[in-house]
Amino acid sequence: MVLGGGGLTGVAWLHGVLDELPGVVGTADRVVGTSAGALMAARLLGGRDPNGLRAHVAELAGVRLGAGVVARLVAAQLWPSRRHALKWLGRAAERPTPLASEDFVTLVTRAIGTMVWPEPLVVSAVDAVAGRPAYFTARSGVELGRAVAASCAMPGVMPPVTIDGRPFLDGGLRSPANADLAAGCRRVLVLAPQGRSVRSVRRPSYQAARLRAEGAEVILVAAEHPGVNVMSAAALAGARESGRHAGRSVAAAVRELWTATPDSVPGSVPDAGPAHDRDAGSAIVDGR
């Protein structure tokens, strides 16, 4: 299963979808979480009620997503070298943000409601120094809240999160959903609050098609009208209702998919980035 990123409105949209698909997350053999998706996945896999996220989301709602931040994110997508673009974003992320890094980690840890790493969870992030993706698992030796905070650290909005002396940023900088990390699974449900990317290979739709070409059964659920200001408090109710509508529309298909064959073949998170990421390299952070 894949839960993609999308800021606070992404959290609300995922909440709405999963309202209509009860129990799905807890039965998956592998759950890939990116940014908002990592937060939601960690909370659900920890047995916590997603409604409890509302108060924590309210603490961040209204954080300004300025024009300069949006411009830098778009410019990074257009950069010929993804690695250099991510390193540039890492340098830009050193600017002051409304929250200090450790305060942000504390907030995310409270929002998750548990410090126990769920075995199926894979959290995506980006090494801001190397400009390379990183994937955290239960074997990483990293606190769950810190890994999820790193995955949520949108540059210019949230501070970089330090892990083993290195700053990490939002996993959505690599891909909005990182659905390719579900490679090897026979059945994949991809929930994508944001599907836009300048480079097609990073879009959930492209990655879902690649998974199908490799023999997986894939259901991709993407937000129809994802907003630009993903930190808007005013958009949260609408995003959740949109998610509920999307969840209802696929509920029957998901039930059929989820009661079919076993979810995944033996294996683990890949030891190297997928082919289309080789220009950037890949850093696996799972204790191996």
Side-chain angles (χ1 to χ4, degrees):
M1 186 168 188
V2 177
L3 302 184
L8 299 185
T9 56
V11 172
W13 185 84
L14 288 169
H15 191 177
V17 175
L18 294 170
D19 278 345
E20 306 298 327
L21 306 174
V24 170
V25 174
T27 58
D29 290 349
R30 185 188 307 169
V31 181
V32 177
T34 296
S35 196
L39 178 61
M40 181 64 76
R43 186 169 177 90
L44 290 176
L45 289 170
R48 300 303 193 271
D49 184 344
N51 285 306
L53 280 175
R54 289 183 181 180
H56 302 288
V57 166
E59 293 185 59
L60 295 173
V63 172
R64 186 170 177 269
L65 186 62
V69 173
V70 175
R72 283 193 293 275
L73 293 174
V74 172
Q77 291 193 46
L78 295 171
W79 210 307
S81 168
R82 188 65 171 173
R83 181 179 178 184
H84 291 155
L86 293 175
K87 291 171 70 174
W88 173 68
L89 283 174
R91 291 191 295 272
E94 295 173 359
R95 302 175 185 181
T97 56
L99 272 179
S101 183
E102 290 306 305
D103 291 339
F104 181 48
V105 172
T106 298
L107 189 155
V108 170
T109 301
R110 289 203 314 266
I112 294 169
T114 179
M115 298 182 68
V116 179
W117 258 98
E119 187 61 34
L121 182 60
V122 179
V123 174
S124 67
V126 165
D127 183 322
V129 174
R132 295 178 175 177
Y135 319 122
F136 298 99
T137 72
R139 301 183 301 278
S140 300
V142 176
E143 295 173 353
L144 176 61
R146 187 168 293 276
V148 173
S151 186
C152 294
M154 184 189 301
V157 179
M158 299 302 167
V161 173
T162 301
I163 297 174
D164 293 334
R166 299 178 71 84
F168 287 83
L169 292 171
D170 197 318
L173 297 174
R174 175 187 181 268
S175 162
N178 293 292
D180 53 334
L181 296 185
C185 295
R186 295 194 181 103
R187 300 172 299 155
V188 184
L189 172 61
V190 181
L191 304 183
Q194 289 282 342
R196 293 174 295 198
S197 179
V198 172
R199 295 181 182 272
S200 62
V201 294
R202 306 193 187 282
R203 297 172 192 160
S205 56
Y206 178 93
Q207 294 172 349
R210 287 286 297 268
L211 291 172
R212 292 189 186 102
E214 293 167 3
E217 294 182 78
V218 182
I219 293 177
L220 169 62
V221 187
E224 289 187 2
H225 304 291
V228 175
N229 189 356
V230 297
M231 305 301 289
S232 170
L236 296 180
R240 186 173 180 187
E241 186 54 40
S242 174
R244 283 176 173 152
H245 176 75
R248 286 192 294 270
S249 71
V250 298
V254 170
R255 282 194 297 270
E256 182 178 353
L257 178 72
W258 232 239
T259 55
T261 56
D263 184 51
S264 63
V265 295
S268 60
V269 182
D271 285 324
H276 57 264
D277 239 351
R278 285 176 186 156
D279 63 321
S282 178
I284 305 299
V285 186
D286 66 358
R288 290 182 291 172

